[in-house]
Amino acid sequence: MRHSAKIIFGFSCSLFFLAFSACARQKKSAENPAQQETQKVNPEIEKLGRVLFSMTDRCKDAVTNGDPEDFLADLHRVLDEQADFRTDDLPLYFLIDKKHSVPAEYEPKDLIAVKSNDLWNVSRNDLSLRPEAYRALEKLSAAALEDGIKLLVSSTYRSYEYQAGLFNRYVAQDGLALAERYSARPGTSQHQLGCAVDFGSVTDDWADTKMGKWVYDNAADYGWSLSFPKEYEDVTGYIWECWHFRYIGRAACQFQKKWFSDVQQFMLEFIDAWCKE
């Protein structure tokens, strides 16, 4: 790993950001000595240091070095974009994983049926998505069609009960230890949020297909993020799933790529911690 391109967290993230801020204040004071006594640390930079310091070591190591003011500007673009989405449902960046769950009765509001149409094909007829994700799927699919590719949607929203049946079937088939590496327990699946899509064949070789390569290259431009990348099972809890993308919005996709080594889990954990701090 190229540590020269990363923030080094040997002591504390907050120390890095406070030191950075101090340098900025010294520069401003040199330009305007009268302001030397009134310069204060941006409280959001102090908060940023605290939040980053609370993250896992693997997340800290993944955070790209840079200007904290730039980081905060990008963060607020993400939060502002989320504010444009409906507020009477779970937030678009809701953290759901093996440690964070939703109730059994949770169902996204106003789910829209995902049927085969001129934009995409489906693998079955009981699919649906949260409205924001549905509209984003329309845009992604229209762009794919322009390049001669018609997307195949294989899985979308899953209820708690559906996920329970699926998980139990995999446990019976492969045993609990293996099943938990590729299937979520009920209440912990991104699919229950109604903003995740499994594309194509739902097999590893899909990544090498024309469709898979196109989605990998273009999904982020339309707000879709790969949830479970290679070599991050210790972070996400799941083995690589080349077909599983979650809609988080374009600003968040850019934010995750620029600051979090393009790992969705790191970014969502950060946003969760930031909003709770």
Side-chain angles (χ1 to χ4, degrees), residues 101-136:
S101 62
V102 293
E105 62 274 15
Y106 172 72
E107 178 180 303
K109 295 181 181 295
D110 302 325
L111 287 167
I112 300 175
V114 178
K115 305 289 186 181
S116 287
N117 56 39
D118 292 339
L119 291 175
W120 60 69
N121 294 318
V122 298
S123 63
R124 60 179 205 264
N125 294 318
D126 60 346
L127 304 179
S128 58
L129 283 172
R130 178 172 165 155
E132 299 95 326
Y134 186 92
R135 292 191 293 270

PDB file of all heavy atoms in Angstrom, residues 101-136:
ATOM      1  N   SER A 101     -29.278  -3.217  11.589  1.00  0.00           N
ATOM      2  CA  SER A 101     -30.404  -3.882  10.952  1.00  0.00           C
ATOM      3  C   SER A 101     -31.637  -2.991  10.911  1.00  0.00           C
ATOM      4  O   SER A 101     -31.653  -1.883  11.468  1.00  0.00           O
ATOM      5  CB  SER A 101     -30.729  -5.181  11.708  1.00  0.00           C
ATOM      6  OG  SER A 101     -31.100  -4.881  13.060  1.00  0.00           O
ATOM      7  N   VAL A 102     -32.671  -3.488  10.256  1.00  0.00           N
ATOM      8  CA  VAL A 102     -33.983  -2.840  10.233  1.00  0.00           C
ATOM      9  C   VAL A 102     -34.995  -3.826  10.807  1.00  0.00           C
ATOM     10  O   VAL A 102     -34.765  -5.035  10.806  1.00  0.00           O
ATOM     11  CB  VAL A 102     -34.396  -2.419   8.812  1.00  0.00           C
ATOM     12  CG1 VAL A 102     -33.492  -1.312   8.301  1.00  0.00           C
ATOM     13  CG2 VAL A 102     -34.379  -3.608   7.866  1.00  0.00           C
ATOM     14  N   PRO A 103     -36.125  -3.325  11.300  1.00  0.00           N
ATOM     15  CA  PRO A 103     -37.134  -4.221  11.880  1.00  0.00           C
ATOM     16  C   PRO A 103     -37.729  -5.161  10.833  1.00  0.00           C
ATOM     17  O   PRO A 103     -37.727  -4.863   9.630  1.00  0.00           O
ATOM     18  CB  PRO A 103     -38.197  -3.254  12.417  1.00  0.00           C
ATOM     19  CG  PRO A 103     -37.510  -1.931  12.528  1.00  0.00           C
ATOM     20  CD  PRO A 103     -36.484  -1.901  11.443  1.00  0.00           C
ATOM     21  N   ALA A 104     -38.270  -6.254  11.305  1.00  0.00           N
ATOM     22  CA  ALA A 104     -38.878  -7.237  10.401  1.00  0.00           C
ATOM     23  C   ALA A 104     -40.008  -6.613   9.592  1.00  0.00           C
ATOM     24  O   ALA A 104     -40.217  -6.973   8.424  1.00  0.00           O
ATOM     25  CB  ALA A 104     -39.402  -8.428  11.203  1.00  0.00           C
ATOM     26  N   GLU A 105     -40.726  -5.665  10.172  1.00  0.00           N
ATOM     27  CA  GLU A 105     -41.886  -5.086   9.495  1.00  0.00           C
ATOM     28  C   GLU A 105     -41.528  -3.960   8.526  1.00  0.00           C
ATOM     29  O   GLU A 105     -42.393  -3.439   7.809  1.00  0.00           O
ATOM     30  CB  GLU A 105     -42.896  -4.550  10.512  1.00  0.00           C
ATOM     31  CG  GLU A 105     -42.383  -3.421  11.394  1.00  0.00           C
ATOM     32  CD  GLU A 105     -41.652  -3.897  12.640  1.00  0.00           C
ATOM     33  OE1 GLU A 105     -41.289  -5.098  12.700  1.00  0.00           O
ATOM     34  OE2 GLU A 105     -41.412  -3.060  13.540  1.00  0.00           O
ATOM     35  N   TYR A 106     -40.237  -3.573   8.468  1.00  0.00           N
ATOM     36  CA  TYR A 106     -39.884  -2.443   7.605  1.00  0.00           C
ATOM     37  C   TYR A 106     -40.054  -2.781   6.127  1.00  0.00           C
ATOM     38  O   TYR A 106     -39.589  -3.807   5.644  1.00  0.00           O
ATOM     39  CB  TYR A 106     -38.442  -1.985   7.830  1.00  0.00           C
ATOM     40  CG  TYR A 106     -38.040  -0.942   6.801  1.00  0.00           C
ATOM     41  CD1 TYR A 106     -38.565   0.348   6.860  1.00  0.00           C
ATOM     42  CD2 TYR A 106     -37.213  -1.269   5.727  1.00  0.00           C
ATOM     43  CE1 TYR A 106     -38.253   1.297   5.908  1.00  0.00           C
ATOM     44  CE2 TYR A 106     -36.887  -0.326   4.763  1.00  0.00           C
ATOM     45  CZ  TYR A 106     -37.407   0.957   4.851  1.00  0.00           C
ATOM     46  OH  TYR A 106     -37.114   1.887   3.890  1.00  0.00           O
ATOM     47  N   GLU A 107     -40.705  -1.864   5.420  1.00  0.00           N
ATOM     48  CA  GLU A 107     -40.836  -1.931   3.969  1.00  0.00           C
ATOM     49  C   GLU A 107     -40.729  -0.514   3.429  1.00  0.00           C
ATOM     50  O   GLU A 107     -41.392   0.401   3.951  1.00  0.00           O
ATOM     51  CB  GLU A 107     -42.178  -2.537   3.558  1.00  0.00           C
ATOM     52  CG  GLU A 107     -42.388  -2.585   2.056  1.00  0.00           C
ATOM     53  CD  GLU A 107     -43.735  -3.188   1.667  1.00  0.00           C
ATOM     54  OE1 GLU A 107     -43.988  -4.343   2.069  1.00  0.00           O
ATOM     55  OE2 GLU A 107     -44.529  -2.511   0.980  1.00  0.00           O
ATOM     56  N   PRO A 108     -39.911  -0.280   2.412  1.00  0.00           N
ATOM     57  CA  PRO A 108     -39.799   1.077   1.860  1.00  0.00           C
ATOM     58  C   PRO A 108     -41.158   1.577   1.377  1.00  0.00           C
ATOM     59  O   PRO A 108     -42.004   0.803   0.927  1.00  0.00           O
ATOM     60  CB  PRO A 108     -38.829   0.895   0.677  1.00  0.00           C
ATOM     61  CG  PRO A 108     -38.083  -0.359   0.997  1.00  0.00           C
ATOM     62  CD  PRO A 108     -39.048  -1.244   1.722  1.00  0.00           C
ATOM     63  N   LYS A 109     -41.338   2.873   1.451  1.00  0.00           N
ATOM     64  CA  LYS A 109     -42.606   3.471   1.032  1.00  0.00           C
ATOM     65  C   LYS A 109     -42.700   3.560  -0.493  1.00  0.00           C
ATOM     66  O   LYS A 109     -41.719   3.814  -1.184  1.00  0.00           O
ATOM     67  CB  LYS A 109     -42.751   4.874   1.636  1.00  0.00           C
ATOM     68  CG  LYS A 109     -42.845   4.881   3.156  1.00  0.00           C
ATOM     69  CD  LYS A 109     -43.002   6.294   3.681  1.00  0.00           C
ATOM     70  CE  LYS A 109     -43.073   6.314   5.206  1.00  0.00           C
ATOM     71  NZ  LYS A 109     -44.259   5.636   5.722  1.00  0.00           N
ATOM     72  N   ASP A 110     -43.902   3.338  -0.993  1.00  0.00           N
ATOM     73  CA  ASP A 110     -44.218   3.565  -2.410  1.00  0.00           C
ATOM     74  C   ASP A 110     -43.318   2.780  -3.356  1.00  0.00           C
ATOM     75  O   ASP A 110     -42.820   3.323  -4.358  1.00  0.00           O
ATOM     76  CB  ASP A 110     -44.151   5.060  -2.743  1.00  0.00           C
ATOM     77  CG  ASP A 110     -45.094   5.884  -1.883  1.00  0.00           C
ATOM     78  OD1 ASP A 110     -46.183   5.394  -1.563  1.00  0.00           O
ATOM     79  OD2 ASP A 110     -44.722   7.021  -1.528  1.00  0.00           O
ATOM     80  N   LEU A 111     -43.088   1.524  -3.051  1.00  0.00           N
ATOM     81  CA  LEU A 111     -42.285   0.691  -3.949  1.00  0.00           C
ATOM     82  C   LEU A 111     -42.901   0.656  -5.347  1.00  0.00           C
ATOM     83  O   LEU A 111     -44.123   0.585  -5.504  1.00  0.00           O
ATOM     84  CB  LEU A 111     -42.185  -0.736  -3.393  1.00  0.00           C
ATOM     85  CG  LEU A 111     -41.282  -0.925  -2.180  1.00  0.00           C
ATOM     86  CD1 LEU A 111     -41.526  -2.297  -1.553  1.00  0.00           C
ATOM     87  CD2 LEU A 111     -39.816  -0.777  -2.565  1.00  0.00           C
ATOM     88  N   ILE A 112     -42.020   0.709  -6.343  1.00  0.00           N
ATOM     89  CA  ILE A 112     -42.461   0.684  -7.742  1.00  0.00           C
ATOM     90  C   ILE A 112     -42.090  -0.657  -8.351  1.00  0.00           C
ATOM     91  O   ILE A 112     -40.939  -1.100  -8.246  1.00  0.00           O
ATOM     92  CB  ILE A 112     -41.813   1.825  -8.541  1.00  0.00           C
ATOM     93  CG1 ILE A 112     -42.194   3.180  -7.941  1.00  0.00           C
ATOM     94  CG2 ILE A 112     -42.238   1.759 -10.010  1.00  0.00           C
ATOM     95  CD1 ILE A 112     -41.495   4.357  -8.601  1.00  0.00           C
ATOM     96  N   ALA A 113     -43.038  -1.299  -8.991  1.00  0.00           N
ATOM     97  CA  ALA A 113     -42.790  -2.602  -9.610  1.00  0.00           C
ATOM     98  C   ALA A 113     -41.766  -2.464 -10.739  1.00  0.00           C
ATOM     99  O   ALA A 113     -41.819  -1.525 -11.535  1.00  0.00           O
ATOM    100  CB  ALA A 113     -44.088  -3.182 -10.149  1.00  0.00           C
ATOM    101  N   VAL A 114     -40.827  -3.392 -10.778  1.00  0.00           N
ATOM    102  CA  VAL A 114     -39.799  -3.414 -11.823  1.00  0.00           C
ATOM    103  C   VAL A 114     -40.149  -4.550 -12.783  1.00  0.00           C
ATOM    104  O   VAL A 114     -39.917  -5.722 -12.491  1.00  0.00           O
ATOM    105  CB  VAL A 114     -38.395  -3.626 -11.221  1.00  0.00           C
ATOM    106  CG1 VAL A 114     -37.343  -3.696 -12.327  1.00  0.00           C
ATOM    107  CG2 VAL A 114     -38.067  -2.510 -10.241  1.00  0.00           C
ATOM    108  N   LYS A 115     -40.728  -4.188 -13.921  1.00  0.00           N
ATOM    109  CA  LYS A 115     -41.157  -5.154 -14.927  1.00  0.00           C
ATOM    110  C   LYS A 115     -40.286  -5.022 -16.172  1.00  0.00           C
ATOM    111  O   LYS A 115     -39.680  -3.979 -16.416  1.00  0.00           O
ATOM    112  CB  LYS A 115     -42.619  -4.915 -15.311  1.00  0.00           C
ATOM    113  CG  LYS A 115     -43.592  -4.922 -14.140  1.00  0.00           C
ATOM    114  CD  LYS A 115     -43.781  -6.318 -13.581  1.00  0.00           C
ATOM    115  CE  LYS A 115     -44.869  -6.348 -12.518  1.00  0.00           C
ATOM    116  NZ  LYS A 115     -45.065  -7.707 -11.939  1.00  0.00           N
ATOM    117  N   SER A 116     -40.240  -6.057 -16.984  1.00  0.00           N
ATOM    118  CA  SER A 116     -39.537  -5.963 -18.266  1.00  0.00           C
ATOM    119  C   SER A 116     -40.168  -4.854 -19.101  1.00  0.00           C
ATOM    120  O   SER A 116     -41.392  -4.706 -19.142  1.00  0.00           O
ATOM    121  CB  SER A 116     -39.625  -7.289 -19.019  1.00  0.00           C
ATOM    122  OG  SER A 116     -38.798  -8.257 -18.438  1.00  0.00           O
ATOM    123  N   ASN A 117     -39.323  -4.063 -19.733  1.00  0.00           N
ATOM    124  CA  ASN A 117     -39.806  -2.979 -20.580  1.00  0.00           C
ATOM    125  C   ASN A 117     -38.757  -2.668 -21.637  1.00  0.00           C
ATOM    126  O   ASN A 117     -37.836  -3.448 -21.851  1.00  0.00           O
ATOM    127  CB  ASN A 117     -40.131  -1.745 -19.722  1.00  0.00           C
ATOM    128  CG  ASN A 117     -38.945  -1.289 -18.881  1.00  0.00           C
ATOM    129  OD1 ASN A 117     -37.794  -1.316 -19.319  1.00  0.00           O
ATOM    130  ND2 ASN A 117     -39.218  -0.877 -17.644  1.00  0.00           N
ATOM    131  N   ASP A 118     -38.888  -1.528 -22.279  1.00  0.00           N
ATOM    132  CA  ASP A 118     -37.949  -1.179 -23.350  1.00  0.00           C
ATOM    133  C   ASP A 118     -36.553  -0.877 -22.823  1.00  0.00           C
ATOM    134  O   ASP A 118     -35.590  -0.884 -23.588  1.00  0.00           O
ATOM    135  CB  ASP A 118     -38.471   0.033 -24.125  1.00  0.00           C
ATOM    136  CG  ASP A 118     -39.729  -0.273 -24.921  1.00  0.00           C
ATOM    137  OD1 ASP A 118     -39.974  -1.472 -25.194  1.00  0.00           O
ATOM    138  OD2 ASP A 118     -40.478   0.671 -25.249  1.00  0.00           O
ATOM    139  N   LEU A 119     -36.439  -0.599 -21.514  1.00  0.00           N
ATOM    140  CA  LEU A 119     -35.153  -0.221 -20.950  1.00  0.00           C
ATOM    141  C   LEU A 119     -34.371  -1.408 -20.401  1.00  0.00           C
ATOM    142  O   LEU A 119     -33.141  -1.413 -20.456  1.00  0.00           O
ATOM    143  CB  LEU A 119     -35.351   0.803 -19.829  1.00  0.00           C
ATOM    144  CG  LEU A 119     -35.823   2.195 -20.255  1.00  0.00           C
ATOM    145  CD1 LEU A 119     -36.080   3.056 -19.029  1.00  0.00           C
ATOM    146  CD2 LEU A 119     -34.781   2.858 -21.154  1.00  0.00           C
ATOM    147  N   TRP A 120     -35.057  -2.386 -19.819  1.00  0.00           N
ATOM    148  CA  TRP A 120     -34.360  -3.510 -19.192  1.00  0.00           C
ATOM    149  C   TRP A 120     -35.203  -4.776 -19.245  1.00  0.00           C
ATOM    150  O   TRP A 120     -36.421  -4.719 -19.463  1.00  0.00           O
ATOM    151  CB  TRP A 120     -34.001  -3.199 -17.734  1.00  0.00           C
ATOM    152  CG  TRP A 120     -35.190  -2.899 -16.857  1.00  0.00           C
ATOM    153  CD1 TRP A 120     -36.161  -3.772 -16.451  1.00  0.00           C
ATOM    154  CD2 TRP A 120     -35.544  -1.639 -16.291  1.00  0.00           C
ATOM    155  NE1 TRP A 120     -37.095  -3.146 -15.671  1.00  0.00           N
ATOM    156  CE2 TRP A 120     -36.740  -1.838 -15.544  1.00  0.00           C
ATOM    157  CE3 TRP A 120     -34.967  -0.382 -16.312  1.00  0.00           C
ATOM    158  CZ2 TRP A 120     -37.372  -0.809 -14.845  1.00  0.00           C
ATOM    159  CZ3 TRP A 120     -35.600   0.633 -15.610  1.00  0.00           C
ATOM    160  CH2 TRP A 120     -36.772   0.419 -14.891  1.00  0.00           C
ATOM    161  N   ASN A 121     -34.564  -5.891 -19.000  1.00  0.00           N
ATOM    162  CA  ASN A 121     -35.239  -7.171 -18.826  1.00  0.00           C
ATOM    163  C   ASN A 121     -35.189  -7.554 -17.353  1.00  0.00           C
ATOM    164  O   ASN A 121     -34.337  -7.061 -16.599  1.00  0.00           O
ATOM    165  CB  ASN A 121     -34.567  -8.261 -19.666  1.00  0.00           C
ATOM    166  CG  ASN A 121     -34.723  -8.015 -21.146  1.00  0.00           C
ATOM    167  OD1 ASN A 121     -35.782  -7.626 -21.625  1.00  0.00           O
ATOM    168  ND2 ASN A 121     -33.647  -8.239 -21.905  1.00  0.00           N
ATOM    169  N   VAL A 122     -36.076  -8.432 -16.928  1.00  0.00           N
ATOM    170  CA  VAL A 122     -36.069  -8.927 -15.560  1.00  0.00           C
ATOM    171  C   VAL A 122     -36.033 -10.451 -15.566  1.00  0.00           C
ATOM    172  O   VAL A 122     -36.440 -11.089 -16.540  1.00  0.00           O
ATOM    173  CB  VAL A 122     -37.300  -8.440 -14.761  1.00  0.00           C
ATOM    174  CG1 VAL A 122     -37.310  -6.918 -14.668  1.00  0.00           C
ATOM    175  CG2 VAL A 122     -38.590  -8.966 -15.369  1.00  0.00           C
ATOM    176  N   SER A 123     -35.535 -11.008 -14.467  1.00  0.00           N
ATOM    177  CA  SER A 123     -35.439 -12.456 -14.369  1.00  0.00           C
ATOM    178  C   SER A 123     -36.697 -13.078 -13.766  1.00  0.00           C
ATOM    179  O   SER A 123     -36.920 -14.283 -13.869  1.00  0.00           O
ATOM    180  CB  SER A 123     -34.229 -12.846 -13.521  1.00  0.00           C
ATOM    181  OG  SER A 123     -34.392 -12.372 -12.187  1.00  0.00           O
ATOM    182  N   ARG A 124     -37.509 -12.239 -13.082  1.00  0.00           N
ATOM    183  CA  ARG A 124     -38.779 -12.711 -12.540  1.00  0.00           C
ATOM    184  C   ARG A 124     -39.716 -11.514 -12.377  1.00  0.00           C
ATOM    185  O   ARG A 124     -39.289 -10.361 -12.517  1.00  0.00           O
ATOM    186  CB  ARG A 124     -38.578 -13.442 -11.218  1.00  0.00           C
ATOM    187  CG  ARG A 124     -37.964 -12.663 -10.094  1.00  0.00           C
ATOM    188  CD  ARG A 124     -37.860 -13.536  -8.845  1.00  0.00           C
ATOM    189  NE  ARG A 124     -37.836 -12.749  -7.632  1.00  0.00           N
ATOM    190  CZ  ARG A 124     -36.718 -12.389  -7.006  1.00  0.00           C
ATOM    191  NH1 ARG A 124     -35.544 -12.778  -7.473  1.00  0.00           N
ATOM    192  NH2 ARG A 124     -36.771 -11.669  -5.902  1.00  0.00           N
ATOM    193  N   ASN A 125     -40.971 -11.790 -12.036  1.00  0.00           N
ATOM    194  CA  ASN A 125     -41.994 -10.748 -12.112  1.00  0.00           C
ATOM    195  C   ASN A 125     -42.442 -10.188 -10.763  1.00  0.00           C
ATOM    196  O   ASN A 125     -43.500  -9.561 -10.691  1.00  0.00           O
ATOM    197  CB  ASN A 125     -43.220 -11.290 -12.859  1.00  0.00           C
ATOM    198  CG  ASN A 125     -42.910 -11.587 -14.310  1.00  0.00           C
ATOM    199  OD1 ASN A 125     -42.222 -10.807 -14.977  1.00  0.00           O
ATOM    200  ND2 ASN A 125     -43.405 -12.722 -14.798  1.00  0.00           N
ATOM    201  N   ASP A 126     -41.656 -10.380  -9.717  1.00  0.00           N
ATOM    202  CA  ASP A 126     -42.051  -9.866  -8.400  1.00  0.00           C
ATOM    203  C   ASP A 126     -41.051  -8.842  -7.864  1.00  0.00           C
ATOM    204  O   ASP A 126     -40.860  -8.706  -6.658  1.00  0.00           O
ATOM    205  CB  ASP A 126     -42.191 -11.016  -7.410  1.00  0.00           C
ATOM    206  CG  ASP A 126     -40.897 -11.798  -7.220  1.00  0.00           C
ATOM    207  OD1 ASP A 126     -39.975 -11.628  -8.043  1.00  0.00           O
ATOM    208  OD2 ASP A 126     -40.808 -12.577  -6.244  1.00  0.00           O
ATOM    209  N   LEU A 127     -40.410  -8.095  -8.753  1.00  0.00           N
ATOM    210  CA  LEU A 127     -39.367  -7.154  -8.374  1.00  0.00           C
ATOM    211  C   LEU A 127     -39.941  -5.754  -8.143  1.00  0.00           C
ATOM    212  O   LEU A 127     -40.928  -5.360  -8.765  1.00  0.00           O
ATOM    213  CB  LEU A 127     -38.284  -7.099  -9.446  1.00  0.00           C
ATOM    214  CG  LEU A 127     -37.633  -8.435  -9.816  1.00  0.00           C
ATOM    215  CD1 LEU A 127     -36.603  -8.229 -10.918  1.00  0.00           C
ATOM    216  CD2 LEU A 127     -37.000  -9.090  -8.601  1.00  0.00           C
ATOM    217  N   SER A 128     -39.272  -4.987  -7.271  1.00  0.00           N
ATOM    218  CA  SER A 128     -39.689  -3.608  -7.013  1.00  0.00           C
ATOM    219  C   SER A 128     -38.533  -2.830  -6.401  1.00  0.00           C
ATOM    220  O   SER A 128     -37.582  -3.414  -5.866  1.00  0.00           O
ATOM    221  CB  SER A 128     -40.907  -3.563  -6.082  1.00  0.00           C
ATOM    222  OG  SER A 128     -40.618  -4.206  -4.853  1.00  0.00           O
ATOM    223  N   LEU A 129     -38.616  -1.501  -6.465  1.00  0.00           N
ATOM    224  CA  LEU A 129     -37.574  -0.626  -5.945  1.00  0.00           C
ATOM    225  C   LEU A 129     -38.182   0.611  -5.301  1.00  0.00           C
ATOM    226  O   LEU A 129     -39.281   1.050  -5.660  1.00  0.00           O
ATOM    227  CB  LEU A 129     -36.628  -0.176  -7.062  1.00  0.00           C
ATOM    228  CG  LEU A 129     -35.574  -1.161  -7.564  1.00  0.00           C
ATOM    229  CD1 LEU A 129     -34.881  -0.596  -8.788  1.00  0.00           C
ATOM    230  CD2 LEU A 129     -34.553  -1.486  -6.477  1.00  0.00           C
ATOM    231  N   ARG A 130     -37.432   1.187  -4.386  1.00  0.00           N
ATOM    232  CA  ARG A 130     -37.744   2.496  -3.836  1.00  0.00           C
ATOM    233  C   ARG A 130     -37.764   3.508  -4.992  1.00  0.00           C
ATOM    234  O   ARG A 130     -36.988   3.387  -5.946  1.00  0.00           O
ATOM    235  CB  ARG A 130     -36.664   2.837  -2.815  1.00  0.00           C
ATOM    236  CG  ARG A 130     -36.776   4.183  -2.148  1.00  0.00           C
ATOM    237  CD  ARG A 130     -35.761   4.285  -1.023  1.00  0.00           C
ATOM    238  NE  ARG A 130     -35.586   5.663  -0.576  1.00  0.00           N
ATOM    239  CZ  ARG A 130     -35.173   6.004   0.632  1.00  0.00           C
ATOM    240  NH1 ARG A 130     -34.872   5.064   1.517  1.00  0.00           N
ATOM    241  NH2 ARG A 130     -35.034   7.278   0.968  1.00  0.00           N
ATOM    242  N   PRO A 131     -38.630   4.523  -4.967  1.00  0.00           N
ATOM    243  CA  PRO A 131     -38.765   5.439  -6.106  1.00  0.00           C
ATOM    244  C   PRO A 131     -37.451   6.057  -6.587  1.00  0.00           C
ATOM    245  O   PRO A 131     -37.204   6.142  -7.795  1.00  0.00           O
ATOM    246  CB  PRO A 131     -39.733   6.504  -5.587  1.00  0.00           C
ATOM    247  CG  PRO A 131     -40.580   5.769  -4.602  1.00  0.00           C
ATOM    248  CD  PRO A 131     -39.647   4.809  -3.925  1.00  0.00           C
ATOM    249  N   GLU A 132     -36.587   6.515  -5.654  1.00  0.00           N
ATOM    250  CA  GLU A 132     -35.324   7.129  -6.070  1.00  0.00           C
ATOM    251  C   GLU A 132     -34.469   6.142  -6.859  1.00  0.00           C
ATOM    252  O   GLU A 132     -33.847   6.492  -7.864  1.00  0.00           O
ATOM    253  CB  GLU A 132     -34.531   7.617  -4.855  1.00  0.00           C
ATOM    254  CG  GLU A 132     -35.244   8.663  -4.030  1.00  0.00           C
ATOM    255  CD  GLU A 132     -35.983   8.057  -2.859  1.00  0.00           C
ATOM    256  OE1 GLU A 132     -36.491   6.926  -2.989  1.00  0.00           O
ATOM    257  OE2 GLU A 132     -36.039   8.717  -1.806  1.00  0.00           O
ATOM    258  N   ALA A 133     -34.433   4.903  -6.385  1.00  0.00           N
ATOM    259  CA  ALA A 133     -33.632   3.878  -7.057  1.00  0.00           C
ATOM    260  C   ALA A 133     -34.240   3.509  -8.402  1.00  0.00           C
ATOM    261  O   ALA A 133     -33.513   3.247  -9.369  1.00  0.00           O
ATOM    262  CB  ALA A 133     -33.503   2.645  -6.166  1.00  0.00           C
ATOM    263  N   TYR A 134     -35.558   3.483  -8.453  1.00  0.00           N
ATOM    264  CA  TYR A 134     -36.219   3.155  -9.726  1.00  0.00           C
ATOM    265  C   TYR A 134     -35.871   4.193 -10.790  1.00  0.00           C
ATOM    266  O   TYR A 134     -35.514   3.840 -11.926  1.00  0.00           O
ATOM    267  CB  TYR A 134     -37.728   3.093  -9.526  1.00  0.00           C
ATOM    268  CG  TYR A 134     -38.476   2.624 -10.757  1.00  0.00           C
ATOM    269  CD1 TYR A 134     -38.773   1.279 -10.946  1.00  0.00           C
ATOM    270  CD2 TYR A 134     -38.882   3.532 -11.733  1.00  0.00           C
ATOM    271  CE1 TYR A 134     -39.449   0.841 -12.080  1.00  0.00           C
ATOM    272  CE2 TYR A 134     -39.566   3.107 -12.872  1.00  0.00           C
ATOM    273  CZ  TYR A 134     -39.843   1.763 -13.032  1.00  0.00           C
ATOM    274  OH  TYR A 134     -40.508   1.332 -14.168  1.00  0.00           O
ATOM    275  N   ARG A 135     -35.947   5.462 -10.433  1.00  0.00           N
ATOM    276  CA  ARG A 135     -35.623   6.514 -11.407  1.00  0.00           C
ATOM    277  C   ARG A 135     -34.167   6.444 -11.828  1.00  0.00           C
ATOM    278  O   ARG A 135     -33.827   6.677 -13.005  1.00  0.00           O
ATOM    279  CB  ARG A 135     -35.949   7.884 -10.805  1.00  0.00           C
ATOM    280  CG  ARG A 135     -37.446   8.131 -10.613  1.00  0.00           C
ATOM    281  CD  ARG A 135     -37.734   9.563 -10.273  1.00  0.00           C
ATOM    282  NE  ARG A 135     -37.226   9.944  -8.965  1.00  0.00           N
ATOM    283  CZ  ARG A 135     -37.927   9.837  -7.839  1.00  0.00           C
ATOM    284  NH1 ARG A 135     -39.167   9.356  -7.868  1.00  0.00           N
ATOM    285  NH2 ARG A 135     -37.414  10.226  -6.684  1.00  0.00           N
ATOM    286  N   ALA A 136     -33.292   6.117 -10.883  1.00  0.00           N
ATOM    287  CA  ALA A 136     -31.872   5.991 -11.214  1.00  0.00           C
ATOM    288  C   ALA A 136     -31.619   4.785 -12.112  1.00  0.00           C
ATOM    289  O   ALA A 136     -30.742   4.830 -12.985  1.00  0.00           O
ATOM    290  CB  ALA A 136     -31.048   5.881  -9.942  1.00  0.00           C
TER     291      ALA A 136
END
